[in-house]
């Protein structure tokens, strides 16, 4: 009798489990990540003002915007799991690094919680088939450490001094130093000049390393763009 019960249990597990896994992974599947960093000077000098975070003026360096799951066809999933809200207590060991490397510039001034919560809920929840909430933020911080964009640019003589640089030289200097071709997003300063706003790099599905982008986002910069100070 015991053996019969045990085998019944085993059979039902074998039948149920695969369907559970299939359901959870297909709803959160994706092909790669965009790792997106923003230049604070270009967030702040537009027609919309910016606000420094409550921790003070961020460093004059690129800051993390987000780690975004994406599909190879250019589309992307968002807001994948409202049962997993942002939970600061699971990342308490990362807050010091996040305050430094992932500062918020939106108004009104905040600690960063609202920005991190938005990024987790919109994008992070779509990577749950691969990484949990702690790993999501840790992965972004590790990527920031490994990709010194400002170092790559300044090494090539491209400085945040309000001057114009060719888009090609910006792209090439990052490729030269980091090893992968970035995608550059521009916005416009108050006078309407096109400027270096965000840099996209692509990351494999597991979040462990950079890859060449399977597809680039849309949008256009001028051939010469400004690199404003901050
Ligand atoms: P925007 O329309 O300002 O370019 O983007 C607004 C927001 O949409 C971004 O901050 C990001 O959350 C999301 N988004 C825009 N483009 C992409 C993309 O190519 N991939 C992913 N995963 N998200 C994107
Ligand atoms: P996404 O564009 O990633 O969908 O959304 C960005 C959201 O985060 C916006 O609602 C924006 O107001 C908020 N946010 C807070 N701080 C920042 C920041 O420093 N940069 C950007 N791009 N968005 C921020």
């Amino acid at each position: 009798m015991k053996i019969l019960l045990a085998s019944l249990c085993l059979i039902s597990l074998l039948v149920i489990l695969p369907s559970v896994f299939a359901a959870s992974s297909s709803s959160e599947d994706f092909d790669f990540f965009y790792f997106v960093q923003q230049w604070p000077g270009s967030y702040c000098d537009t027609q919309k003002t910016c606000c420094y975070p409550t921790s003070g003026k961020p460093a004059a360096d690129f800051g993390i915007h987000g780690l975004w799951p994406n599909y190879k066809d250019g589309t992307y999933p968002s807001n994948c799991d409202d049962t997993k809200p942002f939970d600061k207590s699971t990342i308490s060991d990362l807050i010091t690094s996040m305050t430094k490397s992932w500062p918020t510039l939106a108004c009104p001034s905040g600690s960063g919680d609202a920005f991190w919560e938005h990024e987790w809920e919109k994008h992070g929840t779509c990577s749950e088939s691969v990484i949990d909430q702690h790993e999501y933020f840790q992965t972004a911080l590790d990527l920031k450490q490994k990709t010194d964009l400002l170092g790559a640019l300044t090494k090539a003589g491209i400085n945040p001094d309000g001057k114009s640089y060719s888009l090609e030289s910006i792209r090439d200097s990052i490729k030269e130093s980091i090893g992968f071709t970035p995608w550059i997003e521009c916005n416009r300063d108050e006078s309407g000049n096109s400027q270096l706003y965000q840099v996209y790099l692509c990351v494999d599905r597991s979040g462990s390393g950079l890859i060449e982008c399977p597809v680039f986002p849309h949008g256009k910069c001028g051939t010469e763009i400004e690199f404003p100070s901050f």
Side-chain angles (χ1 to χ4, degrees):
M1 189 60 186
K2 266 192 189 156
I3 293 177
L4 183 65
L5 265 179
S7 23
L8 273 177
C9 281
L10 190 66
I11 290 168
S12 44
L13 266 181
L14 287 176
V15 171
I16 294 165
L17 272 182
S19 54
V20 169
F21 279 123
S24 65
S25 62
S26 66
S27 63
E28 299 178 15
D29 226 351
F30 63 100
D31 298 319
F32 69 97
F33 290 103
Y34 283 126
F35 176 54
V36 184
Q37 297 180 62
Q38 61 181 1
W39 177 249
S42 305
Y43 187 92
C44 285
D45 71 356
T46 67
Q47 276 179 356
K48 257 174 63 184
T49 50
C50 74
C51 293
Y52 295 157
T54 45
S55 50
K57 183 178 177 179
D61 190 9
F62 285 86
I64 301 171
H65 178 162
L67 183 62
W68 303 344
N70 227 83
Y71 299 116
K72 275 194 269 199
D73 68 1
T75 64
Y76 59 91
S78 61
N79 300 97
C80 294
D81 187 359
D82 58 15
T83 70
K84 292 274 167 53
F86 176 66
D87 180 0
K88 206 176 170 185
S89 69
T90 66
I91 53 163
S92 49
D93 58 320
L94 305 179
I95 298 299
T96 307
S97 302
M98 283 168 60
T99 302
K100 236 175 86 196
S101 302
W102 201 328
T104 178
L105 290 164
C107 296
S109 289
S111 60
D113 292 12
F115 190 22
W116 307 329
E117 177 178 37
H118 170 89
E119 293 300 313
W120 164 254
E121 287 174 359
K122 180 169 180 181
H123 300 285
T125 55
C126 300
S127 62
E128 278 177 332
S129 57
V130 183
I131 47 178
D132 65 20
Q133 191 166 154
H134 189 277
E135 287 164 337
Y136 176 76
F137 289 105
Q138 180 78 66
T139 298
L141 289 170
D142 290 347
L143 287 164
K144 167 83 177 84
Q145 275 268 315
K146 282 192 264 183
T147 54
D148 178 9
L149 294 178
L150 189 60
L153 293 166
T154 55
K155 214 160 53 180
I158 299 169
N159 299 297
D161 51 12
K163 295 203 180 112
S164 280
Y165 297 92
S166 77
L167 180 60
E168 201 181 352
S169 67
I170 291 174
R171 217 186 267 133
D172 288 352
S173 64
I174 294 173
K175 160 106 196 184
E176 173 74 23
S177 171
I178 289 167
F180 296 90
T181 311
W183 191 76
I184 309 296
E185 179 183 352
C186 295
N187 67 357
R188 290 188 184 279
D189 70 10
E190 230 171 353
S191 332
N193 302 309
S194 181
Q195 57 180 1
L196 172 56
Y197 172 40
Q198 300 201 109
V199 178
Y200 293 57
L201 291 164
C202 289
V203 179
D204 69 80
R205 242 184 80 81
S206 67
S208 53
L210 297 175
I211 55 170
E212 284 296 343
C213 288
V215 59
F216 286 118
H218 298 293
K220 233 175 153 222
C221 296
T223 45
E224 298 281 317
I225 61 176
E226 273 183 22
F227 191 10
S229 62
F230 179 64

